[in-house]
Amino acid sequence: MNKTIEFISRVAPVIAVLTAKGETNVVVGGSVALMAHGLSLYEPQDVDLIVYQPTERQLQLLARDFEEACAKVQAVPYSGHKVYKTKSMGVGVDVILEWENQQPETMLYVHGFGWSFPVQPIGVILDAKQRYARIKDYVQIRDLAKDNFLDRLDYLANKQELCDFISEL
């Protein structure tokens, strides 16, 4: 959990700006969220921040501060989401705008020094990785299963079964 707190602490300034007016729609996702749930995996390269149904203020802020600061902005071809890429205290930050899905109702909260942030549930992260259908996501799902559930892995035949198995835990 200490590694999770370290990663989230380094992007806390970005989260603070995105939630400065009391917004509660920013959630930590991806590999850092999997770590927060206690799953063993390699050290993440960045922190994914999911902004569910962004407010007008958040959109203006991202357009002004991120785009003008020369942050990399791209539409991700495998998901159709707009992603703002930047850095905070040496850690990469991907701010992903989520319009289609609703924010999960039940989430784990990670508490640090003066902050508390929600993280996506494991099933939501795995669903996203399945939709992206990238090799790196399949490898991560396989490695998650192998590193965390090796004793029950022999009978799982494919990626869908791996995702279903981990989501049910």
Side-chain angles (χ1 to χ4, degrees), residues 2 7 19 25 63 65 68 90 106 110 122 144 152 168:
N2 289 340
F7 270 96
T19 60
N25 60 340
D65 292 351
E68 287 180 9
T106 306
V110 174
I122 295 170
L144 276 169
R152 298 171 65 188
E168 290 171 9

Side-chain angles (χ1 to χ4, degrees), residues 113-163:
F113 305 101
W115 54 260
S116 176
F117 298 124
V119 298
Q120 283 185 316
I122 295 170
V124 172
I125 299 164
L126 293 176
D127 287 346
K129 288 183 176 297
Q130 278 188 281
R131 280 193 318 273
Y132 299 163
R134 301 175 298 183
I135 295 294
K136 77 175 205 167
D137 293 313
Y138 171 72
V139 169
Q140 187 179 40
I141 291 167
R142 184 202 61 207
D143 290 349
L144 276 169
K146 187 171 78 176
D147 294 347
N148 294 280
F149 314 105
L150 187 58
D151 57 330
R152 298 171 65 188
L153 194 58
D154 330 2
Y155 65 90
L156 300 175
N158 59 42
K159 184 172 90 171
Q160 180 61 51
E161 288 181 8
L162 282 173
C163 290

Side-chain angles (χ1 to χ4, degrees), residues 14 18 49 51 62 66 82-85 93-97:
V14 176
L18 289 171
L49 299 178
V51 182
L62 288 167
F66 278 63
K82 190 171 193 179
V83 177
Y84 292 84
K85 293 180 170 283
V93 182
D94 291 353
V95 179
I96 302 164
L97 304 184

Side-chain angles (χ1 to χ4, degrees), residues 7-24:
F7 270 96
I8 297 174
S9 290
R10 294 165 99 188
V11 302
V14 176
I15 298 172
V17 168
L18 289 171
T19 60
K21 297 291 183 189
E23 294 94 343
T24 59

Side-chain angles (χ1 to χ4, degrees), residues 5-6 44 50 52 59 71 79-80 120 127 139 151 160:
I5 290 172
E6 177 188 333
I50 316 306
Y52 287 93
L59 292 172
S79 71
Q120 283 185 316
D127 287 346
V139 169
D151 57 330
Q160 180 61 51

